[in-house]
Structures are given as structure tokens and as C-alpha cells.
């Protein structure tokens, strides 16, 4: 009788210890899985591409920095060259663009303003939009931007080829510069007419 009780006690103890150890293993595995899942999610970051969130992957060596390079260049050119006949909209876009470029961008803006470029857009009710063709960035951060610019006026539509180039430099990320990049030595390489079409008057 006593032996049966001792066996039952040992069995109960073995079951209790086994259950406790099993619970510890399950908790440990759950913790490891949860940690790895959270750590993996932290590698997912979103960047804004002209107010459109783009999911990119963060890695230890910044292998996806290329995505941000192209997005930054694209965002700057969209802001700088999208010009409707609206003075406040133009100023707002250009102010945003200036956070993404060094003084070479400001110099080009001032040059265009002094020549009356923006006033002529307002006076002629022109609508300027840009379509990105491609962006190349080399290992040193030097980029070349290829695009077509469409200039629509009440009487005509003109299409121009646009090529610019510059260098990208890492800076601190801010709300106004989410990619943490700045364009340096920016210049226009080509800006020529491709097509000119007069609108028909009915």
C-alpha cells in the first residue's frame, strides 16, 4: 500500500516537473518567435514618394538605399518642375523642393525667377508637368535623371526632353527630408523641344 502511494507521488512529481519544463520550453520558443517577428517587422520602413508611402526593406548594410536614392531624386524633380498657373502652389512646391537640394537648386530657382519664368507661367495660364523616364545612380552617389516635360497652354502643347545630373549626400532624416539625402552640384544637362502641337480652335 505504502509502495503504491510512493509510486503515485513519484509519478505525480514527475508529471508536475515534466509539465513545468514543457511550459518553460513553450514560453521560451514563443518568446524567441515573437522577438524574431518584431525584429523582422522593424526592418520594414516606409518612405514618402511625393506623398505616396513606399515600403522598403531596412538591412544592416543599407542594400536598399538605392530605392531611396531614386525616390529622393524623383520627388525633387516632381516638386521643382510641376508648375500649374497657381502662384501659391508653385511657391509651396518649390519651398518643399529646397529642403532636398543644396544651394545649386536655389541658384537655379533664383535665375528662373529673375528671368520672369514663373510670371510667364501665370500670365499664359500654362500647366507644366513632368514624366520621369529613368534615373541612374552610380556607386559614388552620382545620378542622372531623364524625363519629358509637358507644357500645356491654352493654344498649344509642347513636349521637352529634360536631363539633369548631380550628387547625393547622406544627411539626417527630417520631416521635410524623409530620405535623409541632399542633392549637390545639381545642373541641367539637356532641355530641348521634342514636339510642338497647336490646339485647334473651334
Amino acid at each position: 500500500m505504502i509502495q503504491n502511494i510512493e509510486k503515485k507521488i513519484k509519478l505525480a512529481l514527475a508529471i508536475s516537473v515534466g509539465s513545468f519544463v514543457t511550459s518553460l520550453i513553450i514560453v521560451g520558443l514563443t518568446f524567441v518567435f515573437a522577438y524574431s517577428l518584431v525584429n523582422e517587422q522593424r526592418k520594414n520602413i516606409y518612405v514618402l514618394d511625393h506623398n505616396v508611402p513606399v515600403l522598403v526593406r531596412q538591412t544592416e548594410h543599407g542594400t536598399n538605399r538605392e530605392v531611396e536614392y531614386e525616390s529622393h531624386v524623383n520627388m525633387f524633380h516632381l516638386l521643382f518642375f510641376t508648375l500649374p498657373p497657381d502662384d501659391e502652389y508653385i511657391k509651396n512646391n518649390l519651398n518643399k523642393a529646397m529642403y532636398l537640394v543644396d544651394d545649386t537648386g536655389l541658384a537655379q530657382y533664383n535665375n528662373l525667377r529673375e528671368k520672369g519664368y514663373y510670371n510667364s507661367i501665370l500670365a499664359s495660364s500654362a500647366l507644366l508637368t513632368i514624366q520621369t523616364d529613368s534615373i541612374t545612380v552610380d556607386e559614388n552617389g552620382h545620378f542622372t535623371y531623364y524625363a519629358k516635360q509637358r507644357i500645356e497652354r491654352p493654344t498649344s502643347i509642347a513636349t521637352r526632353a529634360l536631363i539633369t545630373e548631380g550628387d547625393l549626400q547622406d544627411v539626417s532624416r527630417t520631416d521635410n527630408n524623409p530620405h535623409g539625402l541632399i542633392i549637390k552640384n545639381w545642373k541641367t544637362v539637356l532641355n530641348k523641344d521634342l514636339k510642338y502641337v497647336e490646339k485647334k480652335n473651334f
Side-chain angles (χ1 to χ4, degrees):
M1 184 74 176
I2 294 176
Q3 288 180 347
N4 288 339
I5 293 174
E6 287 178 351
K7 286 181 180 179
K8 288 181 179 178
I9 290 173
K10 288 179 180 179
L11 180 61
L13 182 62
I15 291 172
S16 299
V17 172
S19 299
F20 180 71
V21 172
T22 303
S23 299
L24 287 178
I25 293 172
I26 292 172
V27 169
L29 290 174
T30 303
F31 177 79
V32 170
F33 175 76
Y35 179 79
S36 63
L37 186 63
V38 170
N39 198 43
E40 191 68 21
Q41 287 301 313
R42 283 178 178 170
K43 292 181 181 179
N44 292 334
I45 59 174
Y46 289 86
V47 296
L48 291 176
D49 182 3
H50 204 56
N51 293 328
V52 177
V54 178
L55 176 66
V56 296
R57 296 280 295 169
Q58 183 184 27
T59 65
E60 290 78 6
H61 302 291
T63 54
N64 286 307
R65 192 64 165 147
E66 251 182 59
V67 175
E68 292 189 293
Y69 287 162
E70 293 184 11
S71 181
H72 185 88
V73 172
N74 189 50
M75 181 191 296
F76 167 74
H77 286 83
L78 286 174
L79 289 169
F80 196 90
F81 290 104
T82 300
L83 304 169
D86 183 326
D87 189 41
E88 286 303 315
Y89 188 93
I90 291 174
K91 287 179 181 177
N92 188 46
N93 263 17
L94 291 172
N95 283 337
K96 290 178 181 178
M98 291 304 110
Y99 286 107
L100 311 179
V101 69
D102 70 354
D103 55 358
T104 54
L106 181 61
Q108 191 161 154
Y109 163 66
N110 287 333
N111 184 43
L112 291 171
R113 188 182 60 180
E114 288 171 7
K115 290 180 177 179
Y117 179 71
Y118 301 107
N119 287 334
S120 69
I121 292 172
L122 299 174
S124 63
S125 297
L127 173 61
L128 282 70
T129 55
I130 193 166
Q131 180 182 353
T132 303
D133 289 334
S134 64
I135 301 168
T136 61
V137 185
D138 67 18
E139 58 185 12
N140 297 316
H142 182 80
F143 74 85
T144 306
Y145 175 85
Y146 303 88
K148 290 184 180 68
Q149 188 176 37
R150 187 174 188 267
I151 306 169
E152 182 173 357
R153 295 185 175 88
T155 57
S156 64
I157 299 175
T159 305
R160 298 179 64 84
L162 177 69
I163 301 176
T164 72
E165 64 179 20
D167 301 300
L168 292 166
Q169 179 180 313
D170 290 332
V171 294
S172 300
R173 295 178 191 267
T174 66
D175 290 340
N176 294 313
N177 190 340
H179 299 114
L181 293 164
I182 194 164
I183 295 171
K184 300 177 71 69
N185 307 317
W186 182 58
K187 62 181 180 181
T188 300
V189 179
L190 178 71
N191 189 3
K192 71 172 185 177
D193 289 331
L194 291 176
K195 186 168 62 173
Y196 179 85
V197 178
E198 290 188 1
K199 291 183 178 179
K200 294 181 179 179
N201 295 320
F202 295 98

